[in-house]
Amino acid sequence: MVMMMEGGSVGAGKRKRNMGKKKAKKSKNKKLKMLEGKGKKFRVSKKMRNMFEKRARDYNSDDDEEDEKENTAEKVAPGDTWMGGGGDGDNSSEESDGSEEEEGEIQPGIMKFTEGVRAFRLAFKNIIKRNVADDSLGPVLSGHKQLVAKKLAEEEAERKVKGEAKKEKHLVAEKGHLRPANYLDSNEKFLIGIATKGVVKLFNAVNKAQKAQKGLDPSRSKDAKVIRKRRKEAFFSELGKTSLPARDSSSKGNTSSDPRNDEGPAWAPLRDNYMLTNPKLKDWDKLADQAIADDVGRMSEDSGSDGD
Amino acid sequence: MARFNNKQRKKKVFVKPIVKKQQKKQPNVDHITGNKIPKSFVFSRGKLPGPLRQLQMDLRKLMLPYTALKLKEKRRNNLKDFLNVAGPMGVTHFLILSKTETSPFLRVSKTPQGPTLTFKIYGYSLAVDIAQSQLRPRCPQDLFKNSPLIVLSGFAAGDEHLKLTTTMFKNIFPDIDINTVKLSSCQRIVLLNYNKDTKLIDFRHYSIRLQPVGVSRRIRKFVQNHQVPDLRNLQDVSDFVTKAGYGSESEADEEAATVTLISDLSRVNRASTKSAVKLQEIGPRMTLQLIKIEGGLCSGEVMFSEYGNGGNKEKPGSRDGNEREDSENDNKMEDSDEDNEAEDNEEDTEESEEDNEED
């Protein structure tokens, strides 16, 4: 199929294309439209032929043969390209069928072009029709469609696996991490109670000890001795006191405090074990059953070293 | 290469042990008692997951002020590096956090050759969790300026290992001299409670607050909060002052918890008046179980082991050949078989890797 576009027949193939080119080529397009619409050339060429014949007669009114010849020649001359049919227009009415073939022979590009155009039009229509019924993946070639589906499935699987792995990791990381309750648990209350008791004991001991030396100035050596004495006394009395409440609570038979009372007051320095660490303090054992503070031990060392 | 800055008392940056400049030195020796002030490092071995890193920060805050709050550690740091720095800085204790497949572990050890106690952390709660669970979380600014008091309870004078535990914990925190201590400086308390039946140690951290007692609730609130009370329905001011409000449940407990202050602590807590001691929980909460005691610093002879297992194996994540940890071994006994096999395989592979690396 030779689709040669010769000068004038630019839009020859399609009606659509010709719509836009009216102004430029009025006369030609008229002819072309008529050509396309009918697909027959002899009508157009007939009119044109009559016109030209008139002109020819006016111009050369001598010969009939020559007229005919001239007619044909003239017809051929102006409508070179698209007057392929016109050239044979003389014989068109009689040789219409044949002329088409002849026209095809004479000007093969044009004839084939229009036919080719028709064929192309049909083919294109078919393709368009077919693609309307495609699915969601869009106009995809069948082989590619499967590929795309596979890829999507793979991605899904991957994501799932990753999600699970992440969850497991998170679980392991959070192991042991507890969120505390909003309210105070009974166990928590118990623990706070223990801590409070310890703090109270400490504060009372501190108060006592510091009261003893309230009025005295530590820098004065004379007073320093008095301070030391008072400290010791205050402390012993305090320790004597602290042992009592512990014993009392033990007598209550409170199970929770039993393990506590085995070793005495809650505050660490007031417990038995302190004594064991420092051999010098062993004598204190005889004075009070219960604990002796580390500080007291140190104090006594100081006093011992200073030489009472 | 190595920079060691001691910029402020509380903030220390650690890369490698070279002491550059010490502008403001923390006292090594307590000027009152004459004893050495114990200082500590809190760090981790191996990579810790998110919540455990938070726990490490919480523990650091707990140990303030005698600890390195901004201690920076790198993966390649060995225990030896820490030891080397600890010497010149006067650090006496290490608190080491680590995590295995089954649970996190806390090791408390005394430098340079002191014993190491290994605790398994059964459960922990972060400070933020606790603050969220409370209606009115309280954390005043200067709460961490002084070291906390410590209370140990339930450690019956029985087994050796418990005694060692108590001494260890007592020594971690500096002593206080009751003759000179100011009550206003005792603002925190750490409680360790041993439960004989379950062999678990409860670790709690509270803040201490003193509240004047004997004063009606309204007046106290008014004085403390400076909020103008609503006197619309009252005929006379005396109504406001003398109205008998309902007693709250906690007031009964306060009776036992009252102290008489020797000096003025604040505007409301004046001397010679009774105040109640109120504790509010801050800081992390842990449930520990003593697993193992070693004679050396994370090494040495095993003096006590919960499960009677004396093997030594490499811990995953540590590169120091000297370090050994029994935790995986111990885990064998406790955990299900699944964990067993997984850990064993892990251990074996890690061990072989380590050996290859060393070679």
Side-chain angles (χ1 to χ4, degrees), chain A residues 172-184 187-192 194-196 198-211 213-214 231 235 259-260 262-263 265-269 271-274 276-277 294-296 298-299 302, chain B residues 33 35 49 51 99 101-102 104 122-126 129-130 132-133 149-157 163 166-167 170 175-183 186 189 191 193 196 202 204 206 208 210 249 256-262 277 279 281 285:
Chain A
V172 172
E174 290 278 325
K175 186 148 190 198
H177 185 203
L178 304 166
R179 302 280 150 107
N182 267 350
Y183 55 92
L184 267 187
N187 189 31
E188 296 298 320
K189 276 196 183 157
F190 167 65
L191 292 174
I192 284 191
I194 294 178
T196 317
V199 173
V200 166
K201 276 186 193 143
L202 169 67
F203 278 20
N204 287 337
V206 168
N207 280 336
K208 258 262 158 119
Q210 292 189 348
K211 210 191 241 180
Q213 57 163 331
K214 205 173 181 187
R231 276 187 201 171
F235 231 178
R260 255 186 10 95
D262 285 345
E263 28 90 19
W267 189 45
R271 280 166 48 248
D272 252 337
N273 294 340
Y274 266 94
L276 296 171
T277 59
D294 209 9
D295 304 323
V296 172
R298 262 181 267 115
M299 246 189 4
D302 288 343
Chain B
T33 61
N35 286 350
K99 173 146 171 61
E101 282 289 323
T102 50
Y122 271 94
Y124 62 93
S125 299
L126 302 172
D129 297 335
I130 291 176
Q132 276 172 359
S133 73
L149 312 172
I150 178 156
V151 170
L152 297 152
S153 97
F155 288 93
K163 278 192 184 159
T166 54
T167 20
K170 272 181 315 196
D175 303 316
I176 58 167
D177 178 21
I178 65 163
N179 292 304
T180 50
V181 70
K182 277 194 200 173
L183 285 185
C186 308
I189 181 168
L191 168 72
N193 178 43
K196 234 189 213 168
D202 290 316
R204 300 283 185 274
Y206 301 105
I208 299 174
L210 287 168
E249 186 186 286
T258 51
V259 289
T260 311
L261 290 177
I262 200 70
V277 170
L279 301 186
E281 186 167 5
R285 190 194 279 192

Side-chain angles (χ1 to χ4, degrees), chain A residues 98-197:
Chain A
S99 70
E100 286 183 6
E101 290 169 11
E102 277 180 50
E103 286 162 0
E105 285 172 8
I106 292 176
Q107 306 221 346
I110 288 164
M111 209 41 227
K112 284 185 182 174
F113 180 68
T114 52
E115 268 189 4
V117 156
R118 210 185 307 142
F120 181 72
R121 187 165 147 269
L122 288 172
F124 194 78
K125 251 192 183 174
N126 278 341
I127 293 175
I128 296 273
K129 247 192 252 170
R130 208 193 304 161
N131 270 349
V132 165
D134 222 356
D135 64 343
S136 58
L137 275 178
V140 173
L141 299 177
S142 70
H144 193 242
K145 202 194 299 185
Q146 286 171 3
L147 198 63
V148 167
K150 218 198 267 180
K151 264 197 178 173
L152 284 177
E154 271 179 28
E155 274 181 22
E156 271 288 334
E158 237 188 84
R159 243 182 282 148
K160 262 190 185 175
V161 169
K162 272 191 187 171
E164 281 187 20
K166 251 193 181 177
K167 272 188 194 170
E168 270 205 36
K169 232 187 178 182
H170 196 248
L171 266 181
V172 172
E174 290 278 325
K175 186 148 190 198
H177 185 203
L178 304 166
R179 302 280 150 107
N182 267 350
Y183 55 92
L184 267 187
D185 214 2
S186 61
N187 189 31
E188 296 298 320
K189 276 196 183 157
F190 167 65
L191 292 174
I192 284 191
I194 294 178
T196 317
K197 279 184 203 162

Side-chain angles (χ1 to χ4, degrees), chain B residues 39-71:
Chain B
K39 298 185 192 169
S40 56
F41 274 166
V42 181
F43 54 93
S44 62
R45 303 294 304 149
K47 194 173 182 194
L48 288 186
L52 278 180
R53 261 185 247 143
Q54 280 270 310
L55 183 67
Q56 184 183 321
M57 268 318 286
D58 287 342
L59 280 177
R60 274 194 196 158
K61 280 180 86 177
L62 196 148
M63 304 297 298
L64 278 178
Y66 295 115
T67 190
L69 186 66
K70 292 194 175 177
L71 183 69

Side-chain angles (χ1 to χ4, degrees), chain B residues 284-331:
Chain B
R285 190 194 279 192
M286 291 193 289
T287 313
L288 311 167
Q289 184 188 10
L290 179 62
I291 297 280
K292 197 174 44 152
I293 300 184
E294 284 162 314
L297 190 69
C298 299
S299 60
E301 169 210 352
V302 175
M303 298 169 18
F304 161 79
S305 176
E306 185 73 31
Y307 304 104
N309 202 335
N312 284 338
K313 270 194 183 179
E314 286 282 339
K315 185 201 157 194
S318 82
R319 302 195 177 213
D320 191 354
N322 291 339
E323 284 188 22
R324 311 249 162 203
E325 202 200 28
D326 259 9
S327 55
E328 284 76 41
N329 249 345
D330 293 334
N331 291 341

